[in-house]
Amino acid sequence: MSEQTYLAYDYPLLGAFWSMLVFFLWIMWFVLLFRIIGDIFRDDRLSGWAKAGWLVFCVVLPFLGVFVYVIARGKNMGRREITQARAQQEEFNAYIRQTAAGGRPSSVDELARLSEIRAHGDITDEEFRRAKELVLTGHGPAESADSTARTSAR
C-alpha cells in the first residue's frame, strides 16, 4: 500500500466529522466576532472610550471578550440591527419614491409647501388659491407660487 492510500484508512469517518465541526465552529466564532465589532461601532449610546474598551477587550482576550459582550449587551444587538435595517429601508423607499416621481416633489408635498408659504404671510389667500388650482390640475409646480410671492414682495 502506498502512503496516500494508508492515510485514507488512518483517518476514519468520525475524525473527518470532528474536523469539519471544529472548522465550522471556528468560522462561526469569526462571524460572531465581526458582528460584535460592527455592533460596537454602530451603537450611538456608547462613548468613544467605551467603544475603545470593548474593542480592546474583544481583540486582546478574544474568546472571553466575545462571550462577555454577548452576555452583557447581546439583547440589544438585535434591536440595534433592526433599527438600522428599518432606517435603511425608509431611506431606500424615499429614494425610490423621489426617483419614480421624476425628481419632482408630489402634489401633496407642493401643497404642504404652499401652506407653509401662506402661513408665513409671503402670499395672499388669492395667490394661494390660484397656485393650489395649478398644482391640483397638474399645469404648474409650486415654484410658480414662489416666484409670485417674490414678485409681490418687491
Side-chain angles (χ1 to χ4, degrees):
M1 255 197 262
S2 70
E3 192 172 317
Q4 291 176 344
T5 307
Y6 185 72
L7 180 61
Y9 287 113
D10 195 34
Y11 202 66
L13 185 61
L14 188 59
F17 171 75
W18 283 113
S19 295
M20 288 189 301
L21 181 66
V22 167
F23 183 71
F24 174 75
L25 291 175
W26 185 67
I27 295 297
M28 289 306 298
W29 182 82
F30 272 111
V31 169
L32 183 61
L33 177 67
F34 289 127
R35 286 193 60 164
I36 286 173
I37 290 172
D39 187 63
I40 289 170
F41 287 111
R42 181 183 307 125
D43 191 5
D44 292 333
R45 289 183 291 151
L46 281 177
S47 69
W49 287 106
K51 288 180 183 184
W54 275 113
L55 193 61
V56 166
F57 188 42
C58 287
V59 170
V60 172
L61 298 171
F63 289 109
L64 184 63
V66 166
F67 293 134
V68 168
Y69 188 87
V70 168
I71 291 169
R73 300 180 47 87
K75 184 177 181 180
N76 292 328
M77 278 177 67
R79 291 181 185 151
R80 284 187 291 274
E81 192 169 336
I82 288 171
T83 303
Q84 182 189 17
R86 283 185 183 152
Q88 285 178 341
Q89 185 66 39
E90 288 173 8
E91 288 176 13
F92 179 73
N93 290 343
Y95 172 75
I96 293 296
R97 271 189 245 105
Q98 180 184 8
T99 303
R104 281 193 47 190
S106 68
S107 59
V108 175
D109 295 333
E110 291 181 12
L111 288 174
R113 189 169 175 209
L114 277 172
S115 296
E116 289 175 16
I117 292 171
R118 183 180 67 171
H120 288 292
D122 292 338
I123 59 174
T124 64
D125 288 335
E126 179 60 29
E127 291 171 330
F128 173 75
R129 187 188 59 74
R130 282 185 291 168
K132 180 177 152 185
E133 288 175 8
L134 286 174
V135 169
L136 291 176
T137 58
H139 292 330
E143 284 81 25
S144 63
D146 288 339
S147 62
T148 307
R150 285 188 211 117
T151 306
S152 64
R154 290 182 189 167

